[in-house]
Amino acid sequence: MADHNQQIAHFENICRAHGLKMTHQRLEIFHTLVRSSEHPSAETLYKMLEKKLPTLSLDTVYRTLATFVELGLVKRVETPGSQARFEAKIEQHHHFFCDQCGQLIDFTWHSFDEVQLPDSIESIGTIRDKNVVIHGVCNHCQNSDSD
Amino acid sequence: MADHNQQIAHFENICRAHGLKMTHQRLEIFHTLVRSSEHPSAETLYKMLEKKLPTLSLDTVYRTLATFVELGLVKRVETPGSQARFEAKIEQHHHFFCDQCGQLIDFTWHSFDEVQLPDSIESIGTIRDKNVVIHGVCNHCQNSDSD
DNA sequence: TATCATATAAGATTTATTCTTAACTGATAC
DNA sequence: GTATCAGTTAAGAATAAATCTTATATGATA
């Protein structure tokens, strides 16, 4: 398990540096996202939080996520689903997307991270980030298919 | 330049095999997509075709693309943009996405295609497809930034 | 303690996409 | 060739995700 406290400290620093107030909502949304591995949508986050913050509004979740993405604290993950999904994971990682259930699973692949890209990339542009996306069927779906 | 005729023959076979009529609209939409390298959205395709098919409706473009995706003739490409984008490219390839202009550029990387995935994948699921997505700034944007 | 950024509520707006219905077109089977 | 029926069109309605609006309330920080 990664050191979430450190990440939350970083989050607080960034907010302070940008003169953003540390509201319960922001803190809880970030906490939830950092601790979740399911890459939730705004709506999912809203539901995850409704017990802890009964007055939270979906609008605030959207607004807050947009702020976080702008600050680079959170990433929007592209998926085939209709709703945008988010993650607060900082370490370099890659995604396995289950075409059956829509689950998104992180994995690491250090040898890929260090490999050099093909020369042809130079004629295309400058790299900020390189990621692997695997599409397939997760083991859970695979097993439940066998009935 | 790839052999588009072969791809179009394949397209016709698949349509016939599924009892789908070879309408002008379907043919032109597929032609345009096969020959385009810009991964157009439904709306972009619609605009690309409005001269050739003045009576074409946007609805038909959406409907036709959905049919093609279902038949596996066309792929929906996930991008950070709000509109879905499509490609008819069959050969294994990867994507460079320009964060500045939203352009999506294909590239090939054979050594990646052949490399083995990390063992950890086995505990996740079965692979259908693996792709690299690079985010960065294309050379065109890079150059026009320097003013 | 005061100030002001933020959150909330309620509802309107925007945008992409899909659906509906009715009339028409044209591809394919015969 | 002609009939049939899938598919297209038009026009407009319906959905759904996301964003915005306005007025009021809250609560973090100086």
Side-chain angles (χ1 to χ4, degrees):
Chain A
M1 191 117 301
D3 187 352
H4 295 151
N5 294 333
Q6 199 182 322
Q7 213 174 135
I8 286 163
H10 176 242
F11 159 71
E12 291 178 353
N13 287 336
I14 296 281
C15 284
R16 221 169 285 127
H18 288 264
L20 296 181
K21 295 194 173 163
M22 284 303 318
T23 65
H24 287 157
Q25 293 84 345
R26 283 181 179 155
L27 210 54
E28 289 299 340
I29 289 169
F30 192 77
H31 269 236
T32 307
L33 204 50
V34 162
R35 298 211 176 98
S36 162
S37 62
E38 63 170 287
H39 313 81
S41 65
E43 195 138 6
T44 306
L45 269 170
Y46 175 63
K47 279 172 188 155
M48 289 165 101
L49 282 165
E50 63 184 3
K51 266 171 204 157
K52 199 156 190 181
L53 299 177
T55 68
L56 181 68
S57 75
L58 179 56
D59 194 73
T60 296
V61 180
Y62 275 113
R63 205 166 359 87
T64 303
L65 285 170
T67 306
F68 290 172
V69 169
E70 212 164 307
L71 297 178
L73 291 163
V74 163
K75 274 191 182 169
R76 193 180 293 265
V77 185
E78 300 313 320
T79 71
S82 57
Q83 290 185 324
R85 290 168 70 173
F86 301 86
E87 68 179 6
K89 191 165 171 149
I90 281 173
E91 311 97 70
Q92 171 72 350
H93 66 281
H94 308 283
H95 289 140
F96 179 105
F97 182 81
C98 177
D99 291 326
Q100 206 121 45
C101 68
Q103 201 187 168
L104 203 51
I105 302 162
D106 293 336
F107 67 94
T108 54
W109 191 3
H110 298 301
S111 62
F112 171 84
D113 300 338
E114 279 148 29
V115 89
Q116 215 180 343
L117 290 165
D119 294 342
S120 58
I121 298 298
E122 269 172 49
S123 62
I124 297 177
T126 315
I127 288 118
R128 273 193 190 148
D129 211 13
K130 63 174 200 279
N131 288 282
V132 178
V133 178
I134 296 182
H135 278 254
V137 180
C138 73
N139 285 334
H140 186 265
C141 286
Q142 200 85 59
N143 295 335
S144 45
D145 277 353
S146 55
D147 51 11
Chain B
M1 191 117 303
D3 187 351
H4 295 153
N5 294 332
Q6 198 181 322
Q7 213 175 135
I8 285 163
H10 176 242
F11 158 72
E12 291 178 353
N13 287 337
I14 295 280
C15 283
R16 222 170 283 127
H18 287 264
L20 295 182
K21 294 193 172 162
M22 284 303 316
T23 64
H24 287 160
Q25 293 83 343
R26 284 182 179 153
L27 210 54
E28 290 300 339
I29 289 169
F30 192 76
H31 269 235
T32 308
L33 203 49
V34 162
R35 298 210 177 100
S36 162
S37 61
E38 62 170 289
H39 313 80
S41 66
E43 194 137 7
T44 306
L45 270 169
Y46 175 63
K47 279 171 188 155
M48 290 166 99
L49 282 164
E50 63 184 1
K51 265 171 202 155
K52 198 156 193 182
L53 300 177
T55 69
L56 180 67
S57 76
L58 179 57
D59 193 73
T60 295
V61 180
Y62 274 112
R63 207 169 356 88
T64 303
L65 285 170
T67 305
F68 291 171
V69 168
E70 214 163 308
L71 298 178
L73 291 163
V74 162
K75 273 191 182 170
R76 192 181 293 265
V77 185
E78 300 312 320
T79 70
S82 57
Q83 292 184 323
R85 290 169 69 173
F86 301 86
E87 66 179 8
K89 190 163 173 152
I90 281 174
E91 311 100 67
Q92 172 72 351
H93 67 281
H94 308 282
H95 289 140
F96 180 104
F97 182 82
C98 176
D99 292 326
Q100 206 120 45
C101 67
Q103 201 188 166
L104 203 50
I105 302 162
D106 293 336
F107 68 94
T108 53
W109 190 3
H110 298 302
S111 61
F112 171 84
D113 299 338
E114 279 149 29
V115 89
Q116 214 180 344
L117 290 166
D119 294 341
S120 59
I121 298 298
E122 268 171 48
S123 62
I124 297 177
T126 315
I127 289 118
R128 271 192 191 149
D129 211 14
K130 63 173 200 281
N131 288 282
V132 178
V133 178
I134 297 182
H135 278 254
V137 180
C138 73
N139 285 334
H140 186 266
C141 286
Q142 200 84 59
N143 295 337
S144 43
D145 276 352
S146 54
D147 52 10

